[in-house]
Amino acid sequence: MVLTKPTPTTAEDLPGLRRLDEIAFHFDISDETWKRVSALFSEMHGYAVREGDQIVGHAGAYDMRMTVPGGMRPVAGVTGVEVLPTHRRRGVLRSLMRRQID
């Protein structure tokens, strides 16, 4: 089975990301909660690994700033890192995090 390399997510990925969230984090997301969460999507830099049309892994990051000695520096606020249980231990997480770092 060949999985795709991480590619940027788009607004069209929202239904697949919701499904992934619910499975990976073991809870149902209410429509009200999802409306609030998905509103932040446009601010996130997200990447997904797909198998066919299905999103099997995701990692996102928000632009943030952090105080360090010498001043403020831009950092990535990594969020929403998840892989379907059926696709773990196949390098999906590694490829997502490598893409985030690159």
Side-chain angles (χ1 to χ4, degrees):
M1 171 183 323
V2 177
L3 300 175
T4 62
K5 293 182 180 179
T7 56
T9 54
T10 66
E12 288 78 37
D13 292 322
L14 285 171
L17 292 172
R18 181 177 182 170
R19 179 184 171 277
L20 178 63
D21 281 356
E22 290 179 333
I23 294 170
F25 294 126
H26 305 286
F27 64 88
D28 292 327
I29 302 171
S30 71
D31 289 340
E32 181 181 321
T33 298
W34 185 250
K35 188 175 181 178
R36 285 182 289 146
V37 169
S38 62
L40 299 172
F41 181 79
S42 63
E43 299 175 28
M44 180 176 55
H45 307 284
Y47 296 96
V49 170
R50 294 167 172 82
E51 182 177 51
D53 293 337
Q54 181 182 22
I55 296 174
V56 299
H58 173 261
Y62 291 99
D63 294 332
M64 302 179 80
R65 296 184 62 74
M66 177 182 275
T67 303
V68 295
M72 299 286 286
R73 294 285 187 220
V75 298
V78 177
T79 186
V81 179
E82 56 220 347
V83 176
L84 286 178
T86 54
H87 290 75
R88 293 185 182 146
R89 306 214 29 96
R90 296 185 189 186
V92 174
L93 178 61
R94 174 185 289 238
S95 69
L96 286 164
M97 296 314 294
R98 180 79 259 157
R99 180 64 179 95
Q100 287 279 28
I101 292 168
D102 290 345

